[in-house]
Structures are given as structure tokens and as C-alpha cells.
Amino acid sequence: MTDAAYETALGSSTKDKITLLGQDLAEDVMGTVGFGELAFWLATQRRPATGEIRVFEAVLAALADHGFTPTAIVTRLTYLSAPDSVQGALAAGLLGGGSRFLGVTEDCGRFLHDVLAKAERPADEAGWDALALETVENRRAERKFVPGLGHHVHKDGDPRTRRLFAIADEEGLRGPHLELFAAIGRMHPQVLGKTLPLNGAGVCGAALADLGLPLELLRGFALLARTAGLIGQLAEELRHPVANDIFLSVDLNNRPVPPDPQR
């Protein structure tokens, strides 16, 4: 035996009581604290204000589902292959949360944070525009994309972006990350020669960063939201299955070709 102590402020249990974040789980949390509020509280170990909950839950709603994306398709196909493993189907979908889908939330939040860490905080819109212009010019010179800029479907504007900015404004929670992201939206056409939309995943990353949530966990919140969406995909698959049609569409339409050795 050792005298090691493993400290945690999260959950612990005794014979007749469970505590969570210093609260009695059964009496103080269950039926009193919403899941979104609890997720925020668990990540920060501080109870969020009402406005913070509203912005946070708006982010979760924005990222929950976006149709037949690769994450949704692979979840349905995995369930078709292994209907005895719901956890496998959900895990398959979540593993697809990367730089093209869902991971943009973390990428954008980190990118904006890195820019802000090296710059003086602008005092007005003109200052934000100047910082945004410099930021986009630097990315172009580096031949890198600006995270959160552009969408393959919502080419004329992502409706989630407009709504999340409005909610943040209503709650007085438009912080520096959202300010810089908005300015990038205004200024990038001067550099790129075309107008691209600020996408929903990007604005979610900016909003989460403004809430003070750990940058290392931003993708985790996107995955938390998408878990609900993937459960919905599986529930619909049970009622109106399409996975077998997707599989057969590929299987019956594949075309053998000669090998193409890598040179």
C-alpha cells in the first residue's frame, strides 16, 4: 500500500451519497441542472452565468447535425455492419471529427487565440479591421487557409454564423475572438479577391474561446454536440434505413480497373 492521493473536484461516492463538483448529485443536480450547463460546469469547474449557458447551448445546437456528412454516413454504415455495437457506430462517427468536419471549431478558436496573443487589443472597429487585414495577408503569404472561412454548401452565408453572433451580442458576450472573426469576414475579400462565408464551425470555435473554455477541449465540445446528432442518425436509421442502399450503391457500381502502382 502507498500513501498516494488522487485529488478530484468532480465525482465521488460513498455508501449513501454521490457528489459532483461539490454538490449532492441526487438532490442538487438531478432535475435542477441542465445537461448543457453541467457540461460547461464540468469543463471549467465554475457554474456558468445564464448568458454563458445560452451561448454554449447555441453552439451545441449548431454542431449537433448537418445532414449526411461523412460522420453520419459512417455511423449508419457501421451500425449496418455491427448492429450489436451502438457504441462502435457512434465511435466511428466521432473518429471522423477532423480538420474538414467538426475539427474546424478547435482550429478556428486556436488560430484566433494565437493572433490575439501576439497583438494589442484594438479599441474600435477600424482597429479590428486593420488586425484582420494583416492576419489574412500573413496567411496568404504563408499559403495557408484561414480556419473558419468558406463552406462547401452555404456559399452565400452560413445561417448559424449570423444567429450565433446575434445571441452573443444579446448576452453581452461578443469577446475578442468573435470580434476578430467578424473583422476577418469583412476584410478578407480585399486580400483574396472573393467573398467567402464565415462558417458555423468557425464561429462556434470563436464563441467557445470567448467563453474562456480550454482551447485543448474545443473539439471535444464539437464531438459532444455531434454525439446527440449521431444518436439521431441511428434512431432514424432504425425507422427509415438507408445504410444498406448506400452500401449497395457502391458495391453494385464499382468498376474494376488495372492496378496503378505508385511511382
Side-chain angles (χ1 to χ4, degrees):
M1 296 291 290
T2 68
D3 295 326
Y6 302 97
E7 297 181 350
T8 178
L10 302 178
S12 63
S13 303
T14 64
K15 181 179 179 181
D16 56 3
K17 185 176 182 179
I18 302 172
T19 60
L20 182 64
L21 296 161
Q23 309 293 310
D24 186 304
L25 175 64
E27 299 299 325
D28 301 327
V29 179
M30 294 172 61
T32 301
V33 180
F35 184 70
E37 178 181 0
L38 183 60
F40 189 110
W41 197 354
L42 286 165
T44 63
Q45 297 196 12
R46 68 172 180 85
R47 194 161 189 173
T50 301
E52 292 176 313
I53 297 170
R54 186 174 179 226
V55 171
F56 182 67
E57 291 189 341
V59 168
L60 297 182
L63 297 174
D65 185 80
H66 207 47
F68 281 116
T69 58
T71 59
I73 293 170
V74 74
T75 290
R76 290 190 185 228
L77 288 174
T78 302
Y79 186 74
L80 173 69
S81 181
D84 52 323
S85 180
V86 170
Q87 70 273 23
L90 291 173
L94 295 177
L95 288 171
S99 59
R100 293 186 178 179
F101 291 89
L102 291 177
V104 177
T105 297
E106 177 186 336
D107 296 342
C108 187
R110 283 180 175 271
F111 167 69
L112 296 170
H113 182 81
D114 289 345
V115 173
L116 291 167
K118 301 172 185 175
E120 290 188 13
R121 202 62 51 85
D124 53 26
E125 185 173 292
W128 285 111
D129 285 350
L131 177 58
L133 184 62
E134 179 185 359
T135 298
V136 178
E137 288 175 339
N138 289 341
R139 293 294 283 189
R140 177 158 187 158
E142 296 169 356
R143 298 182 179 274
K144 294 180 180 178
F145 293 110
V146 176
L149 192 58
H151 197 283
H152 69 290
V153 175
H154 306 301
K155 297 184 182 299
D156 296 325
D158 191 322
R160 299 171 297 175
T161 299
R162 179 179 62 254
R163 180 59 176 152
L164 193 50
F165 269 114
I167 292 171
D169 285 338
E170 290 166 9
E171 299 299 337
L173 291 171
R174 183 193 279 226
H177 299 85
L178 282 170
E179 288 285 9
L180 178 56
F181 197 49
I184 287 173
R186 294 190 296 268
M187 303 306 294
H188 76 270
Q190 295 186 28
V191 180
L192 304 184
K194 58 184 176 180
T195 300
L196 299 172
L198 299 176
N199 63 51
V203 75
C204 285
L208 292 175
D210 274 346
L211 289 174
L213 293 163
L215 297 175
E216 297 85 355
L217 298 182
L218 297 191
R219 189 172 303 190
F221 297 118
L223 295 174
L224 172 66
R226 189 52 57 92
T227 299
L230 295 179
I231 290 173
Q233 291 283 339
L234 288 178
E236 186 174 75
E237 181 68 19
L238 291 172
R239 298 191 303 273
H240 305 290
V242 299
N244 196 55
D245 292 337
I246 295 172
F247 158 61
L248 290 176
S249 177
V250 176
D251 185 52
L252 298 177
N253 291 285
N254 71 76
R255 180 172 59 88
V257 297
D260 181 20
Q262 184 176 0
R263 292 177 176 83

